[in-house]
Amino acid sequence: MTIPGVGIITASALVSSMRGPADFKSGRHFSAWLGLVPKQHSTGGKEQLGSISKRDRRPANVAVVAIANKTARIVWALLRFGGTYGAPAQRTA
């Protein structure tokens, strides 16, 4: 719950719906399991996940999904490897 945008309801729903973070090969697979990947082309046991961009002008829903995808990957990493969330340092230019 230390991650911005993740409250008690979201945290408990994520933890209760997955068996364990080790079930997923990477944070990308975890976010795909949540349905936060825009496209998936899979054939013959080979997975190809699409990408989404937060850059330039995008419709609001695309930006929301991109941020949710990023947050899901952070959640997976913290559950898998432990630790607490430390906000990235702000750049001053």
Side-chain angles (χ1 to χ4, degrees):
M1 290 183 2
T2 59
I3 303 168
V6 177
I8 191 160
I9 295 173
T10 306
S12 60
L14 282 173
V15 171
S16 66
S17 63
M18 61 189 260
R19 288 190 311 220
D23 291 344
F24 303 100
K25 190 164 107 174
S26 67
R28 185 173 176 92
H29 287 269
F30 177 61
S31 65
W33 179 73
L34 291 173
L36 297 174
V37 179
K39 291 188 247 181
Q40 181 176 4
H41 300 287
S42 301
T43 181
K46 190 175 193 180
E47 293 182 11
Q48 292 225 309
L49 304 175
S51 62
I52 195 166
S53 175
K54 295 179 299 209
R55 293 178 35 178
D56 305 328
R57 279 293 213 194
R58 299 282 179 210
N61 288 340
V62 173
V64 168
V65 170
I67 297 299
N69 187 357
K70 181 178 178 180
T71 303
R73 290 176 182 213
I74 292 170
V75 168
W76 176 82
L78 290 177
L79 289 173
R80 178 82 165 97
F81 302 111
T84 58
Y85 178 75
Q90 296 274 339
R91 284 194 231 172
T92 56

